[in-house]
Amino acid sequence: LKNVKMISKSDGSGFEPAEIEIIPIIDQMKERLERSYPGDIQLLIDKFDVDSPRILADKDIKIVMEKLLDNAIKVQSTSSKWVKINLISGQDGMIRRIEVEDKGPGINDEMKRDLFQRKLRIGEKMLTGLGLTVVKMIVDAHGWNIWIEDRVEGSTESGARFVIEIGKSDSK
């Protein structure tokens, strides 16, 4: 139901960007993940020598991070889960790019194109999860871009990397 409400308000109305420190948001998500999923969760954060990376975003950035981290954990079948977040900032400490990587089964190129759609058909199976659709809508409302890459270049079986580019540019 929460996802449906997010989709219904995805027109950008009520969008109130502010400068937000993202590390406390990630720490909060990590605590929730550790309570929600059994096993060991290794969450690495690379801030690239920026002490307190900030992002100009609406409060919905929390939902974006929650959905991406949830998905990164869910796709991994082992009891030990590995997720890496890369926060690439400019000299001003403002985040320009967010990358969320996992060591799950990876995503083939055909699925990468369709993964943000409201319904995704894989063979005879219809997946209807709305989490990534919500992520895409929030990212779009901010004027950002999101795409999926192989965590290991050229290997669709070695995990995925979700990339959010802050600011306007051509979509991948």
Side-chain angles (χ1 to χ4, degrees):
L1 185 58
K2 184 169 87 172
N3 287 340
V4 173
K5 288 179 183 176
M6 284 302 307
I7 289 171
S8 67
K9 73 169 224 171
S10 66
D11 62 355
S13 62
F15 182 71
E16 297 177 18
E19 201 171 288
I20 300 170
E21 283 192 34
I22 200 158
I23 297 300
I25 292 171
I26 294 170
D27 289 343
Q28 192 177 44
M29 295 299 122
K30 182 179 184 204
E31 289 174 18
R32 190 190 58 74
L33 290 170
E34 288 172 340
R35 286 191 309 271
S36 300
Y37 294 98
D40 179 41
I41 296 176
Q42 185 177 11
L43 178 62
L44 308 172
I45 303 170
D46 195 338
K47 301 180 291 182
F48 298 94
D49 297 324
V50 175
D51 290 332
S52 299
R54 300 172 322 281
I55 188 167
L56 185 61
D58 184 75
K59 65 182 178 358
D60 290 341
I61 188 64
K62 292 178 183 178
I63 295 167
V64 169
M65 296 307 297
E66 175 185 25
K67 300 292 183 196
L68 291 177
L69 293 173
D70 265 342
N71 282 342
I73 297 296
K74 285 179 188 176
V75 299
Q76 297 181 62
S77 58
T78 63
S79 63
S80 180
K81 319 274 189 205
W82 182 93
V83 179
K84 182 177 182 190
I85 302 171
N86 298 312
L87 302 171
I88 296 99
S89 302
Q91 291 180 340
D92 59 359
M94 296 299 289
I95 296 170
R96 304 287 189 255
R97 182 174 168 126
I98 299 171
E99 300 173 347
V100 178
E101 302 179 359
D102 65 60
K103 288 186 178 179
I107 302 169
N108 70 46
D109 290 338
E110 183 180 327
M111 280 183 60
K112 286 176 191 163
R113 288 189 301 273
D114 299 329
L115 205 55
F116 297 107
Q117 302 303 315
R118 289 184 190 190
K119 291 186 180 179
L120 175 65
R121 181 174 297 281
I122 301 174
E124 296 296 315
K125 188 175 182 181
M126 180 67 77
L127 304 176
T128 57
L130 297 175
L132 291 176
T133 300
V134 169
V135 167
K136 174 83 167 114
M137 291 177 164
I138 293 170
V139 166
D140 287 349
H142 281 80
W144 305 339
N145 291 309
I146 186 167
W147 66 89
I148 307 163
E149 300 174 344
D150 299 329
R151 184 181 64 82
V152 175
E153 190 172 341
S155 174
T156 59
E157 298 86 30
S158 299
R161 176 183 302 123
F162 284 76
V163 180
I164 299 174
E165 188 173 65
I166 311 302
K168 297 190 181 291
S169 69
D170 297 331
S171 281
K172 290 263 175 170

